[in-house]
Structure formats: structure tokens, C-alpha cells
Amino acid sequence: MKREELKKLNLTDEQIDKVMSLHGADVENSKSKIDELNKTNESLQSQIAERDKDLKTLKKQAGDNEELTSQYKELQSKYKQDTENLTKELQQTKLNSAVDNALSKAKVRNSKAAKALLNLDDVKFNDKGELHLGGFFYI
């Protein structure tokens, strides 16, 4: 969408600014959702490929039952840790996406500069799924 196209529709500059602002917010929201989904997809594909590889190795080495039990416990522990790490990554991606979206809604011109000023360690989701910044306010 371009300003020239909106001018051809006889919209005022104020109307054009509002339309562009709404469109920009929608675009940023869509970009953040796409980034989040892509990261999740890559993580899941990587995890599945690694598990398949581990299972093939385990199947080849299934000769000794005691050794198999030990390897199974090892893999179970590894998968639990991997799942926790992926969950943390996904949560951080969602949090970053929500902060970017909130900054976009607040009409921040340079979101990177604004994020640099925030203490992102204090930014969390509350029980309602809203952003909460260090006990002071909700975004």
C-alpha cells in the first residue's frame, strides 16, 4: 500500500496517516507471528531429526539389555532438557514478538532503540497473557 494510491482515492493526509499506521501495525504483527512460527518449525524439525538419529543408533546397539536401559535413560534425560530449552526459546520469541507489537501500537518510530532502553528481564506475561513490565504497568 502506497500513499499515492490512497491520495488517488481522495483521502486527506490525516486519513492517509491513520490508514498507513493501521496497515503498518498489521504488517509488523504478521511479521512477528511469521518469525515465531518459522523459529518453532525449525526447532521442531531439528529436534525430530536428532531424535530419529538417536533412535537409529539405539536400535543398532540394542544387543545388551543393560546397555540399552542406560542409553534409554540418557536419551530420556537429553530429550527432557531439549524440550525445556525449546520451550524457553519459544517463550522468549513470543515475548519479543509481543514487545515489538506493543511498541508498534504505541507508534514508536525506532523499536530497536526503544527495546534497548527497556530492561527485558523485567518484561513478563501476566495470568491474562498481557505484557507486564516490572510491576509498573501492562502493555
Side-chain angles (χ1 to χ4, degrees):
M1 181 178 311
K2 298 189 187 232
R3 289 183 177 273
E4 294 79 27
E5 294 170 345
L6 295 174
K7 283 199 181 236
K8 288 179 184 176
L9 296 173
N10 296 324
L11 296 177
T12 66
D13 287 339
E14 183 180 328
Q15 290 171 328
I16 291 173
D17 288 342
K18 287 181 181 178
V19 169
M20 294 303 285
S21 174
L22 290 171
H23 179 66
D26 287 343
V27 168
E28 288 302 316
N29 190 21
S30 295
K31 283 182 184 178
S32 64
K33 286 181 182 178
I34 288 171
D35 289 343
E36 182 179 321
L37 289 173
N38 283 337
K39 187 167 187 159
T40 302
N41 186 28
E42 288 173 15
S43 294
L44 291 173
Q45 286 180 353
S46 171
Q47 185 180 11
I48 288 170
E50 188 173 332
R51 286 186 181 179
D52 286 347
K53 178 182 157 194
D54 291 343
L55 288 173
K56 284 181 185 177
T57 302
L58 187 59
K59 188 175 181 179
K60 288 179 185 176
Q61 298 173 348
D64 186 0
N65 196 9
E66 186 176 317
E67 185 180 328
L68 180 63
T69 303
S70 171
Q71 288 178 348
Y72 175 76
K73 288 179 182 178
E74 227 176 79
L75 287 175
Q76 194 175 25
S77 173
K78 180 182 175 191
Y79 292 158
K80 181 180 178 185
Q81 184 63 39
D82 287 348
T83 302
E84 288 173 6
N85 290 342
L86 288 172
T87 302
K88 286 178 186 176
E89 275 185 48
L90 181 59
Q91 187 66 18
Q92 189 61 42
T93 301
K94 285 181 181 180
L95 191 64
N96 287 337
S97 176
V99 169
D100 289 339
N101 194 22
L103 291 173
S104 177
K105 284 182 182 178
K107 298 181 183 179
V108 173
R109 290 182 186 224
N110 189 342
S111 62
K112 286 184 182 180
K115 279 177 76 172
L117 296 173
L118 292 173
N119 182 0
L120 294 178
D121 293 336
D122 290 341
V123 178
K124 307 282 183 222
F125 286 111
N126 67 4
D127 296 339
K128 297 177 185 176
E130 301 168 326
L131 282 180
H132 184 257
L133 179 60
F136 294 108
F137 61 89
Y138 291 97
I139 300 176

